[in-house]
Structure formats: C-alpha cells, structure tokens
Amino acid sequence: MQSWSDVAVPTLPGQGPPLRLHDTADRQVRPVAAGETATMYVCGITPYDATHLGHAATYLTFDLVNRVWRDAGHHVHYVQNITDVDDPLFERAERDGVDWRDLGSREIDLFREDMAALRVLPPRDYIGAVESIGEVIEMVEKFVASGAAYVVDDAEYPDVYFRVDATEQFGYESNYDHDTMARLFAERGGDPDRPGKHDPLDALVWRAARDGEPSWPSPFGPGRPGWHVECSAIALNRIGSGFDVQGGGSDLIFPHHEFSAAHGESVTGDRRFARFYVHTGMIGLDGEKMSKSRGNLVLVSALRRDGVDPGAIRLALFAGHYRQDRFWTADLLADAQARLARWRGAASLSSAPAAEDTIARVRQHLADDLDTPKALDAIDGWVTRALEHGGSDASAPALVADAVDALLGVDLR
Ligand code: 5CA
Ligand code: ZN
C-alpha cells in the first residue's frame, strides 16, 4: 500500500538523549536502547470510517517516538498495517450500499490526507491485510504444523484457531488475570462460545468462507485471516522478532497484542515478540470513549474543513500525557489555538532570549516517556520571556521554531 507523503524534519544542533518508554508488559519506564535502526510497528486503522481524534492521538504519540529517535541519531524502520478486510467494513458497506473495497480505499485515502495534514512522518512499510494474506497463510501453516493451532471440527466452517496455551509465557504482555481476559476477549471481537473450540480463549487465525464474505484460497480451504495474525505476520516479515516497539491504543492490550505476540513467539521460539509494548490512553468525548461504534466522533477531516490548524490539534492532544485517558473538549482546542498563536508570535520576533537550555529541557522531557505536558511548559516559559522581556539572541526564534517542528511536528512558520 502506498504510504503518505514525506514530511521534512529540520536537523537540530547536537543530539537528543536516549528514549525511555513505559512498557506495558514490565509495567515500568525503562531505556529503549534501540540499535542503529530503531524498529516500530503500530497497529493501523480499520478503514470503515474517518480518522477521529482518538486515532490521531495514537498516531501522534508514535510520531513523537519516531521524532525523538531520529533526534537521538537513529534511523527508524516504521511499519503500520491497515485492517482492510474485517466485519465492520462489510457491515458499513452493506448499510451504505457500497462495495467494501471502495469503502476501504476511500477511507484509507482520507486517512493519508489526515496524517499528511497532521505532519505525521509516514511509515516505511504501510501494509494492508489483503496484501499480506500470503504471509498470513504461511504463518498459519506453521501453527498447524507445530500443533499451536487446529481446525475446528465443523464440516461447514472449518475455521482455524490458535491455542491460548501454545506459548508458556502467554499473559505476560497484558498482565491480566483470567477473568479480565475472558471479559475483554468477549468484548473485543473474540468468540468464546464458538462450538468446537478447545478453550474459550483460543483465537481465530483463519476464518472459513461464509456466504457473501470475500475469501482467498488456502491449504485450509477458502477463507480470510483472523485479526491478530495479520499484525504478527506483517511485523515479523519486515522488522523481525524482538523489534523495539509494538504500539497502539490501550484497547489493544488484550486480546490483540497478547495474541499477536503469542503468534510471533510460537513460530520463532523467542520469549518476547516485541521489546516494548507501548499503549496510548483512550480519547473520549462527552464522558465516553470516542469510537466509531458509539458514533461520538470528532473527525480530523471535519476540524480541517473548519479551518483548524493541524498544529493546534497536536498541541491540544500533547497537553495531556499520552498514557492518560482524556477527553477532547472545545476548551482544550481553544487553549491550544491560543498557545499556538503565542508560540508563533515569539518565533517571528527578530531576537529573543537564548534557547539552548529550553531545547535541552524539551529533549529531556520527551525522552522521558514522552512527557509532552512538561515539554510544552518549557516552550511556554521561553515564549513568555521572549514576548514579555525580549532578548538579544537573533538566532533563538528560528532555533525554537526548528525544535518545535523537529520534535513536536508543529510548524510555527
Ligand atoms: N485495525 C485495528 C488495529 S490492527 C484497529 O484497532 N483499528 S481502529 O481503527 O479501531 O483503531 C486504530 C488505532 O487507533 C488503534 O491503535 C487503536 O488502539 C487506536 N484508537 C482507537 N480508538 C481510540 C481512542 N478513542 N483513543 C485513542 N486511540 C484510539
Ligand atoms: Zn494490530
């Protein structure tokens, strides 16, 4: 799949400190210690509706990871998927009387536009589930060969399921107890009551063709991929086992990331699919999680149409910490717009107070588990001094603009 257009990133003097991130599996913040090329896989959209601010918050968070890594001197191999074949697509396409493929490609186009407008650095590999079906089939073949997966005893629909106990370490990623797993599995797309499963938590990896559903040939009969295995196969075949960061919203901690890790580990024999499992908090509106199924969405494209500066969207979302569940409000956006205007005012001065210390602090805060509230405060401090007291450093305004651009993705020019 074609990614979106590249975004220029200014180079700053010196180098940022090494990144530390919170790992859901180990429940602590620790140094990522990526190699020369840092590797990241972030779970992409299911393209049946437009990008809302919850999605934006998640992709902006991992954009910061990308930017902080680059500033610290790494190359970054970033991979993102698109779940472009799944039930929600068929349901929405049916409701709207359109072909599910057309719906998907329309929403993917809009997503690319939204990401480019938000100045999110594009992934090197942007891969659809449909284009990775061959990879999924190979992986499912390995599961079946090793006994990690089995075909249910059902002549009509011989679906293939991955055994929840296929790997010894299952459960380490989410740290959830069995009851929590059972509840979330049922709530988030699992099928605990499917007859013929060995364990209610076993996860679908190949769904046999049903009437009216698209299907592809496979050694297990015509069908389509399960959800978790799509992400395992796409990540494994591009950045390999033991990649640095597996990312997504906290709604993916279980079952999605637990199973995509278990799938990967079952074919490699490694103990850990990803070195860090990084999860963003949920963005809500009016007291509820923002989600397509609830319909309480604020769309990035709608804000853009209303003339909202994408830099203000970034600043509004960065005003809270990425791991915190938080709400989108009109005040949050208004505050961010005011902040952006002040920052632009200071960046356009002909001289200002020296900015080296401020930039060092911004780098420190971002490297410390992406502490954007503190990074924004540090810039605010310099902006206030610049606007209220002035300064004699003629290069400072441009330096701050470069730093805000490179590290936060906000264009002050
Ligand atoms: N295609 C799958 C991942 S493989 C999926 O979850 N798609 S999605 O369209 O539902 O979500 C895309 C990304 O946005 C996921 O990383 C998800 O965790 C994140 N996300 C969804 N809703 C929110 C929200 N309200 N706040 C923050 N992140 C969200
Ligand atoms: Zn995923």
Side-chain angles (χ1 to χ4, degrees), residues 41-44 81 83 227-228 230-231 246-247 252 256-257 260:
Y41 181 92
V42 177
C43 282
N81 71 306
T83 308
W227 173 29
H228 320 305
E230 153 196 346
C231 289
Q246 158 78 295
L252 300 185
H256 187 53
H257 286 170
S260 37

Side-chain angles (χ1 to χ4, degrees), residues 93-137:
E94 167 100 28
R95 188 198 80 177
D96 295 353
V98 293
D99 187 282
W100 64 276
R101 294 174 207 81
D102 295 338
L103 171 67
S105 58
R106 191 181 75 208
E107 295 303 342
I108 294 165
D109 282 346
L110 185 59
F111 178 73
R112 289 194 189 97
E113 274 174 36
D114 288 339
M115 291 296 108
L118 287 168
R119 312 179 81 237
V120 172
L121 305 180
R124 187 194 298 180
D125 296 309
Y126 190 44
I127 310 291
V130 171
E131 54 184 346
S132 62
I133 282 174
E135 301 175 36
V136 166
I137 291 171

Side-chain angles (χ1 to χ4, degrees), residues 43-46 54-55 58-59 81 83 227 249 251 281 283 290 292:
C43 282
I45 55 162
T46 305
H55 304 133
T58 290
Y59 300 116
N81 71 306
T83 308
W227 173 29
D251 57 336
I283 301 296
M290 198 178 284
K292 296 170 198 168

Side-chain angles (χ1 to χ4, degrees), residues 303-389:
L303 291 176
R304 290 201 285 124
R305 262 197 309 278
D306 291 347
V308 173
D309 191 304
I313 300 177
R314 278 188 176 256
L315 291 183
L317 291 167
F318 294 161
H321 191 265
Y322 80 91
R323 282 199 276 132
Q324 208 77 53
D325 289 342
R326 52 209 199 278
F327 290 104
W328 180 264
T329 62
D331 283 352
L332 188 68
L333 178 60
D335 289 350
Q337 286 170 317
R339 179 178 247 155
L340 182 61
R342 276 169 64 78
W343 287 17
R344 285 207 171 118
S348 67
L349 295 169
S350 54
S351 69
E356 282 78 6
D357 286 358
T358 299
I359 290 166
R361 277 211 301 284
V362 170
R363 277 172 154 162
Q364 285 290 350
H365 292 315
L366 291 177
D368 181 17
D369 196 30
L370 310 176
D371 194 340
T372 52
K374 284 195 184 147
L376 267 49
D377 275 353
I379 304 278
D380 279 342
W382 177 86
V383 165
T384 300
R385 289 193 300 281
L387 292 175
E388 290 177 8
H389 309 294

